[in-house]
Amino acid sequence: SRINALAKISRISSFKHRKMIANGVFMSHVIYLIQLWGGCSGYLLDIIQVLQNRAARLVTGLNWFTSRSKLLLQCEWLSVRQMVVYYDLILVYKIRKDKKPVYLYNKLSRTNHYKTRLMTKKSISLPEILNTKIAKDSFINRAINQWNNLPEDLQSVDTLDAFKVKLKAWVKLKIPIWVNINV
């Protein structure tokens, strides 16, 4: 219904106003629980991506045959899978800097004590062996794997604002739009 309302408004408003309304009405709801949705099955993320594509088409006014990468670029949005990685890593960064909440900080501050290649980076060791799909797709496991895949210079950025800017550029470059991150 939010996209239908955006469709009605898109006929009479400018690009700037359509984008502002889409950000407030649609994208804010997608972002609100993106860490939770990151652990969902790939087909559910695909459904959310289709809705985001439809909203982007309404905002830009481009036709059905326009590629989603062009739509997302023009709207300055990340894809759903890119948003999962982006917001997971921002949350990990905040938890590691503020050391709050304590129960998550304790899980995300474990360092690798063995002399491996992970030891050279500011990596986090996985808590225990996870056997179920739900545990493998959980925020903690997903966030630790994503953090360990970040370049060391990105992990050691001092301020949150600088981290967000560099992280967004890295995510756009390294995380494909449609590849399943829950592999």
Side-chain angles (χ1 to χ4, degrees), residues 81-89 146 170-171 175 181:
R81 285 178 170 77
Q82 289 172 336
M83 281 192 291
V84 168
V85 173
Y86 179 75
Y87 286 103
D88 282 354
L89 290 172
Q146 292 166 356
W170 183 83
V171 165
I175 307 297
I181 60 173

Side-chain angles (χ1 to χ4, degrees), residues 120-166:
T120 61
K121 294 171 55 175
K122 294 182 178 181
S123 63
I124 307 168
S125 63
L126 288 170
E128 61 269 344
I129 296 174
L130 305 170
N131 294 329
T132 64
K133 180 167 175 26
I134 293 174
K136 289 178 184 176
D137 293 341
S138 69
F139 168 75
I140 294 294
N141 187 50
R142 197 175 64 240
I144 288 172
N145 288 330
Q146 292 166 356
W147 183 263
N148 289 341
N149 288 332
L150 276 180
E152 188 177 350
D153 61 326
L154 196 54
Q155 290 179 358
S156 61
V157 172
D158 292 333
T159 65
L160 180 62
D161 292 334
F163 180 74
K164 285 181 179 181
V165 170
K166 289 183 178 185

